Amino acid sequence: MTTRVPVVEKILSANDRIAEENHARIESAGVFSINIMAAPGAGKTSLIEQTLPRLKGKLRVAVVDGDIATSIDADRAAKAGAQAAIQINTGGDCHLDAIMLRSALEQLDLTQFDLLIVENVGNLVCPASFKLGTHKSVLVASIPEGDDKPYKYPGMYRGVDALVINKIDLLPYIPFKMDYFERGVQVLNPGVLTFPLSCRTGEGLDVWIEWLTQHATHKK
Amino acid sequence: MHELAVTQSILDISLRHAKDAGAKQITGISLVIGEFASIVDDSVQFYWEMIADGTIAQGAQLHFERIRGEMICANCKHSFHPDDIDFVCPNCESPFVQITKGDEFRVDSIDVE
Ligand SMILES: Nc1nc2c(ncn2[C@@H]2O[C@H](COP(=O)(O)OP(=O)(O)OP(=O)(O)O)[C@@H](O)[C@H]2O)c(=O)[nH]1
Ligand SMILES: [Mg+2]
Ligand SMILES: [Zn+2]
């Protein structure tokens, strides 16, 4: 005889549980942490490179870099002044998960830092489903990707705490209807913080740095 | 491309609940997946056959209930399924709309013997 057993459990509940452990660990060390997600090439590493020198002498920063195979991005972060830069190679996986972050955290003495920046694998679909346990998740959108991305990748825009709109220096050259883009964003994620900026010219970076600094100093 | 992880998770959850229920065999699994939650394609079925083999979930049917995204207009209260191009209300064209359905991403129930 067949019986139906109600389950009602979120599909990635095991990952969520480990994410909660990560969160507790980061929080108890008094560190502010962000998970940066974006399509390949949106400017995640560029944002980290622009951010680090601006925090120099103010915040001690650790960077964890997720990449399918190389350590290029972690090297860039180290060069830009990260006090620690750890590479996680996902071995083909298109996203970081909470277990991968946990093993990176095991290599760090978190009490030595004020800010932890995680760069996720370039991908506009999968990272959204895998919580890592950071305080905030940040999506980097960029102008050349086009203004229709919220409509095409709703899952990614839906869950984040902040949205960086990078490469605004390219607005004069690329058709990008900002009101159309922002309308989609507001439906998917009402009131989400947005930071329009350019890693090229530095425009808009001050506000971003201010946001990070405020959160990180609040933790101390 | 994260379907393997998703499939593994579905298996783990199902086996755990089946054990709690004292079941000998899992014959079916009902999944509820909303349009905005995550992209989960048919490769889950493919992975399922690989990883469920040798467990009490071997041969279980996966039932996908896909929930279409639904929005409600704050202006005229019209409920609608958004098209892929824009999220404005098709009735009054207001952009002030809210998502009411589409975030589901869960194992709903299992059928056991
Ligand atoms: N014009 C312009 N180019 C930018 C800007 N930010 C980044 N780029 C360029 O965009 C390209 C990709 O930047 P990355 O920072 O490597 O992007 P990423 O998101 O880290 O890429 P992956 O880690 O490979 O997914 C590089 O050629 C950057 O120089 C910007 O604000 N304006
Ligand atoms: Mg990068
Ligand atoms: Zn309406």
Side-chain angles (χ1 to χ4, degrees):
Chain A
M1 202 192 63
T2 305
T3 43
R4 176 152 294 185
V5 179
V7 174
V8 196
E9 186 165 324
K10 287 203 70 175
I11 288 180
L12 294 169
S13 54
N15 183 74
D16 292 351
R17 267 194 304 277
I18 296 166
E20 277 164 30
E21 291 168 22
N22 288 345
H23 185 86
R25 186 169 188 161
I26 300 167
E27 174 69 20
S28 71
V31 177
F32 178 61
S33 54
I34 61 172
N35 170 17
I36 303 186
M37 299 177 282
K44 297 174 291 297
T45 312
S46 301
L47 181 64
I48 293 168
E49 282 175 325
Q50 292 302 314
T51 300
L52 289 167
R54 288 172 168 82
L55 295 176
K56 204 176 166 195
K58 286 193 277 185
L59 298 178
R60 299 161 300 167
V61 187
V63 176
V64 171
D65 241 295
D67 202 287
I68 291 176
T70 74
S71 68
I72 296 174
D73 286 356
D75 297 344
R76 282 170 67 184
K79 212 169 157 197
Q83 272 81 11
I86 292 183
Q87 182 72 37
I88 308 177
N89 286 127
T90 63
D93 264 355
C94 49
H95 58 268
L96 292 178
D97 63 28
I99 293 179
M100 296 180 206
L101 181 60
R102 183 173 64 189
S103 60
L105 294 181
E106 276 157 12
Q107 301 170 48
L108 286 169
D109 177 4
L110 280 175
T111 59
Q112 298 306 304
F113 302 96
D114 309 301
L115 173 64
L116 169 70
I117 301 179
V118 181
E119 175 178 352
N120 218 306
V121 181
N123 182 329
L124 216 41
V125 179
C126 311
S129 304
F130 295 85
K131 293 198 193 91
L132 301 182
T134 57
H135 290 92
K136 303 279 182 194
S137 54
V138 179
L139 174 61
V140 180
S142 65
I143 301 302
E145 289 166 46
D147 51 20
D148 58 357
K149 289 302 163 290
Y151 304 91
K152 287 189 172 163
Y153 299 94
M156 195 59 142
Y157 281 81
R158 189 116 176 88
V160 296
D161 303 300
L163 174 67
V164 168
I165 306 172
N166 188 27
K167 311 195 189 182
I168 56 169
D169 58 294
L170 297 176
L171 276 170
Y173 313 105
I174 290 170
F176 187 100
K177 295 188 289 305
M178 192 58 93
D179 56 339
Y180 171 61
F181 175 84
E182 285 185 331
R183 200 162 66 231
V185 170
Q186 284 311 314
V187 169
L188 292 168
N189 199 332
V192 65
L193 273 177
T194 54
F195 300 97
L197 55 82
S198 166
C199 291
R200 187 95 185 244
T201 64
E203 187 185 351
L205 271 160
D206 296 359
V207 191
W208 163 251
I209 297 293
E210 176 63 27
W211 180 73
L212 281 180
T213 314
Q214 256 187 17
H215 278 286
T217 37
H218 194 76
K219 287 263 166 255
K220 288 293 142 182
Chain B
M1 271 300 288
H2 57 286
E3 274 76 6
L4 181 55
V6 166
T7 314
Q8 185 64 53
S9 187
I10 293 168
L11 180 63
D12 294 345
I13 291 168
S14 303
L15 291 176
R16 178 157 41 81
H17 284 265
K19 194 175 170 209
D20 291 350
K24 290 198 196 68
Q25 183 73 35
I26 303 175
T27 57
I29 297 169
S30 297
L31 307 166
V32 182
I33 295 169
E35 185 174 346
F36 302 133
S38 180
I39 294 172
V40 172
D41 64 35
D42 298 342
S43 59
V44 168
Q45 188 71 53
F46 168 79
Y47 287 126
W48 180 257
E49 277 145 34
M50 284 173 22
I51 67 170
D53 256 25
T55 72
I56 63 163
Q58 181 168 349
Q61 281 291 318
L62 298 181
H63 306 283
F64 290 89
E65 186 188 346
R66 300 206 180 253
I67 308 285
R68 297 225 302 166
E70 196 177 280
M71 298 187 178
I72 188 166
C73 173
N75 183 40
C76 76
K77 306 294 174 211
H78 177 61
S79 224
F80 62 97
H81 175 257
D83 64 34
D84 315 335
I85 309 163
D86 213 333
F87 294 151
V88 294
C89 171
N91 188 42
C92 73
E93 293 184 4
S94 164
F96 298 103
V97 300
Q98 275 181 340
I99 294 174
T100 48
K101 271 190 195 159
D103 287 327
E104 302 77 4
F105 192 56
R106 62 174 192 268
V107 181
D108 215 38
S109 63
I110 53 176
D111 294 328
V112 300
E113 282 173 356

